[in-house]
Amino acid sequence: MNQTLQSCIIILVLYVWNLMESVKHYLTDRKKNALKYTIKAISLIDIELKILQWQLQNNSNKGNQKEKILEQDLHWTGTAADLVEFAYGALETKKFENGEIDINLLIEILCQLFSFEVKDCYDTFRAIRRRVGSRTLFLDEMIEKLNERMDNMDNGIFKKKKIRRKDK
């Protein structure tokens, strides 16, 4: 039996016992009322157990949903340059392994995670460095879009993104 369920049952039993003791002292000469209160207490326990059972089932269903989501492939829909720019930015700000990770390994992990292929991260990074004007186009776009979203939310405009999931 689940430890949370056991704890809740113990708390409920103690509550009912305390309630029955109160009822016993208060209604010593009124056995019918004592029986009525005992039946009510038992029905409350029954309801609480049903609620706990429902909660446990819903939590286990949520776990199954998370597992299904994790089984799905996550596809990077940006360019290779976007992914390399993201990886270098995360590396330089020490967001993975406190910056103590080889860029090739980081990009290989990200490519595997996002079902994407970057042929040569060094060549891609050289192309990013050769850009005229802003060299961090992807990161600049992220900043712009995130600020725009927060500004819209501040102004009461809430756009909920539609998420399409593929069922396997």
Side-chain angles (χ1 to χ4, degrees):
M1 189 182 284
N2 188 318
Q3 190 174 11
T4 307
L5 183 60
Q6 286 177 339
S7 301
C8 290
I9 290 171
I10 290 170
I11 291 169
L12 284 170
V13 168
L14 290 174
Y15 172 75
V16 170
W17 181 77
N18 190 19
L19 181 66
M20 289 174 61
E21 285 295 312
S22 306
V23 169
K24 190 167 95 176
H25 290 296
Y26 182 72
L27 302 169
T28 52
D29 59 342
R30 299 182 182 159
K31 291 182 182 179
K32 289 183 181 178
N33 285 339
L35 181 61
K36 184 169 86 174
Y37 285 114
T38 304
I39 291 171
K40 281 186 178 182
I42 290 170
S43 68
L44 283 173
I45 290 174
D46 187 48
I47 291 169
E48 287 292 328
L49 286 173
K50 287 178 182 175
I51 291 170
L52 287 172
Q53 183 180 17
W54 179 81
Q55 287 175 338
L56 287 172
Q57 286 174 346
N58 279 350
N59 286 339
S60 67
N61 287 344
K62 286 180 185 174
N64 291 340
Q65 289 172 351
K66 287 179 185 177
E67 288 173 12
K68 287 179 184 175
I69 291 170
L70 292 177
E71 289 174 1
Q72 292 181 359
D73 289 336
L74 184 62
H75 296 278
W76 180 264
T77 55
T79 65
D82 293 343
L83 186 61
V84 169
E85 190 177 323
F86 169 76
Y88 270 96
L91 180 70
E92 291 305 311
T93 56
K94 302 180 188 311
K95 301 303 180 205
F96 294 108
E97 302 295 331
N98 292 318
E100 301 295 321
I101 186 171
D102 180 64
I103 190 64
N104 263 332
L105 178 59
L106 177 58
I107 289 177
E108 184 180 321
I109 292 168
L110 292 173
C111 285
Q112 187 176 16
L113 175 67
F114 296 135
S115 303
F116 192 81
E117 183 181 358
V118 173
K119 299 212 186 296
D120 182 358
C121 71
Y122 297 117
D123 187 45
T124 305
F125 188 66
R126 279 191 290 276
I128 291 170
R129 288 180 53 212
R130 286 192 298 267
R131 290 177 182 164
V132 179
S134 176
R135 298 193 291 184
T136 55
L137 296 175
F138 175 67
L139 298 177
D140 293 344
E141 181 184 6
M142 284 181 67
I143 291 168
E144 179 186 330
K145 294 297 182 182
L146 184 56
N147 278 322
E148 184 179 304
R149 181 183 181 117
M150 290 188 287
D151 289 343
N152 286 340
M153 291 177 80
D154 292 343
N155 294 325
I157 302 169
F158 299 99
K159 292 180 182 177
K160 203 169 195 181
K161 300 277 183 183
K162 290 185 180 181
I163 299 173
R164 295 181 191 167
R165 293 200 175 123
K166 297 177 186 173
D167 292 331
K168 286 191 172 184

